[in-house]
Structure formats: structure tokens, C-alpha cells
Amino acid sequence: MAKPLIAGNWKMHGTAAEAVALSRQLVENEQSFCVQMAIFPPTLHLGLVASELSGSSIALGAQNMSEYRSGAFTGEVSADMLKEAGCGYILVGHSERRTLFGEVDSTVADKFKAAQNSGLVPILCVGETLQQRQQGLTLEVVAEQINVVKEKVGIESLCHGVIAYEPVWAIGSGEVASPEQAQLVHGAIRELLGSSGIDTSLLYGGSVKASNAVELFAQRDIDGGLVGGASLEADEFLKIAQLMT
Ligand code: PEP
């Protein structure tokens, strides 16, 4: 089994000073957890946070990148640039990118491929909307989101990435999937990956907090968490990481 991963997505929150303070608090209080912690600050703060993390075991990631390597793409950031800034991970296909910025599966697949070509580990985010769940389409939707990436990069490369199951209705809503609901989907993802995916990290995301993490992390196919709101408080994020240990 892969080392458990706890990833903190800061989204578009915080000043540079707040980003430095939060990363400093994490570094000062990190213990020898048997879990890999990774934080995903806003792009503009990556360099500052990278300096704070230097010498610590906390990894750095970015929230978004271009699918293109370089060129006339105003406002975009490439995987090579993120790598140079100290990133090891990149989120691809976060539901906010899909719903608010119109990212479609094929673009997500291109980003996944571009990330790996530059030596970043992509965290592929998948998940169904409330309406899709109510229509009984959860497993179908998640499988389709994963299959488009599989077709683009092949099963082995897909399995070298990380997959985060994040039901859209649970993100930022305070409504968390039950451990059974989450395990059902994680089990189906593991099955979809087949023998190549035995060690692939499968994260759960969606309103994870210290108070609900233990039961989620106890599930057989949940190898860690992608945490949004609760990652903005050092104590809460550290507590979640500790619960995974
Ligand atoms: C996320 O941003 O991926 C997320 C899961 O957010 P939250 O924990 O706030 O629901």
C-alpha cells in the first residue's frame, strides 16, 4: 500500500503573509507522521511557501496548470514552471475547475499527461453531482472521468498518479459522504484500475474534518484525504494528518 497522503487545497484564500504563517505553523508542528502531507497554496504564493517548506517533509503542490508546455497562452502556468517552483503534485480536474471554468474530461486528461511529462504527480479529482447521485449514476460518472484519462495515458501511467474521489455535493458543503458511500466508490475505482492499481493512492475529499476523518480513513480503499476548508487551520489539518497515522 502507498504511504497515506493528506493534501490541503487552500483554494483562492489568503495573503502572502498568511500563506507564510500557515506553512510555518505546519512545519513547526509536523511530527514523524507515517503520512505524506502536501499543501496546495494559491499559485502566486508557491515560491514563498516553497522556501518555508524547505528541509521539511511536507510536499508542495499547485491547484491548476496549463495542458500546454509553453507558448502564447496568456495567464497560464506550465507544469515545468510549477516543477521549477518546487511543486511535486498538481490537482487536475477539481470540480471547481470543471463546473466554474468549463474544464472537460479531455482537457483534464491532457493536463494529467502534461503533468507526468514534467515529473509532477497529478491528483485526478473525480466525483458526481447530487443530481447524478440521485439518478443512480455515481459509478458510471466516476468511471467515465477516469476512463478518459486512462485512454489518454494508459493504465500504468494512470496508476502512477493519485485519484481523489470528491462527490461534488460534499465539497465545501459541510455534508460528508458516509464511510460506506465513500468506500463503495473507492472499491469500484480500485476494481477499475485492476492489478496495476493495487498501490495507487485513492483519496477521499469533501468536507473532511478531524471529527469525521477516523471513520473515513478506516475504510479499506481510502488511502488519505484531499482537504479544502479544514486545511486552512494548521491545528485542524495537523490533527487530520495525525488521525491517518
Ligand atoms: C476540496 O477543495 O477539494 C475540498 C474537498 O473542499 P472541502 O474540504 O472544503 O469540502
Side-chain angles (χ1 to χ4, degrees):
M1 197 185 110
K3 190 175 178 179
L5 173 64
I6 300 293
N9 175 14
W10 294 3
K11 311 196 187 192
M12 199 174 72
H13 291 296
T15 62
E18 285 165 344
V20 167
L22 180 51
S23 20
R24 203 165 283 175
Q25 266 179 290
L26 294 174
V27 170
E28 283 170 359
N29 293 291
E30 76 169 316
Q31 293 154 25
S32 47
F33 299 141
C34 315
V35 45
Q36 175 67 62
M37 268 200 281
I39 51 177
F40 295 71
T43 310
L44 199 57
H45 303 333
L46 285 171
L48 282 172
V49 173
S51 306
E52 293 300 320
L53 298 186
S54 114
S56 88
S57 63
I58 302 174
L60 185 65
Q63 300 171 18
N64 185 36
M65 55 167 260
S66 170
E67 62 272 41
Y68 302 109
R69 190 142 213 171
S70 70
F73 301 105
T74 302
E76 292 291 287
V77 175
S78 74
D80 286 343
M81 292 170 189
L82 295 174
K83 182 88 181 149
E84 196 178 25
C87 290
Y89 292 94
I90 175 76
L91 300 182
V92 297
H94 190 281
S95 77
E96 286 152 17
R97 299 293 321 165
R98 293 178 190 262
T99 55
L100 303 174
F101 301 98
E103 270 185 28
V104 294
D105 284 341
S106 61
T107 310
V108 173
D110 286 341
K111 290 188 180 196
F112 190 101
K113 186 172 181 173
Q116 288 189 322
N117 284 344
S118 295
L120 295 174
V121 176
I123 299 181
L124 170 65
C125 305
V126 297
E128 81 289 1
T129 62
L130 184 57
Q131 196 185 19
Q132 289 165 331
R133 171 163 286 268
Q134 286 166 343
Q135 291 170 341
L137 297 173
T138 299
L139 297 183
E140 206 176 300
V141 167
V142 167
E144 172 65 10
Q145 289 170 334
I146 294 173
N147 279 332
V148 175
V149 179
K150 186 171 95 175
E151 275 158 32
K152 171 77 66 188
V153 302
I155 185 68
E156 296 304 326
S157 295
L158 172 63
C159 291
H160 284 126
V162 173
I163 298 178
Y165 167 55
E166 299 204 295
V168 178
W169 47 272
I171 297 178
S173 64
E175 200 174 327
V176 65
S178 70
E180 296 73 27
Q181 283 173 323
Q183 169 56 34
L184 186 83
V185 180
H186 279 242
I189 296 173
R190 186 83 69 200
E191 208 170 304
L192 181 73
L193 300 179
S195 56
S196 307
I198 291 166
D199 288 331
T200 302
S201 281
L202 304 184
L203 312 184
Y204 168 79
S207 297
V208 173
K209 298 192 251 341
S211 58
N212 58 32
V214 175
E215 281 187 305
L216 285 163
F217 294 164
Q219 301 304 306
R220 197 172 49 131
D221 292 300
I222 299 185
D223 307 312
L226 177 51
V227 184
S231 70
L232 293 168
E233 287 172 37
D235 287 349
E236 182 75 5
F237 191 55
L238 287 160
K239 213 183 289 175
I240 294 170
Q242 225 159 0
L243 292 171
M244 190 81 223
T245 309

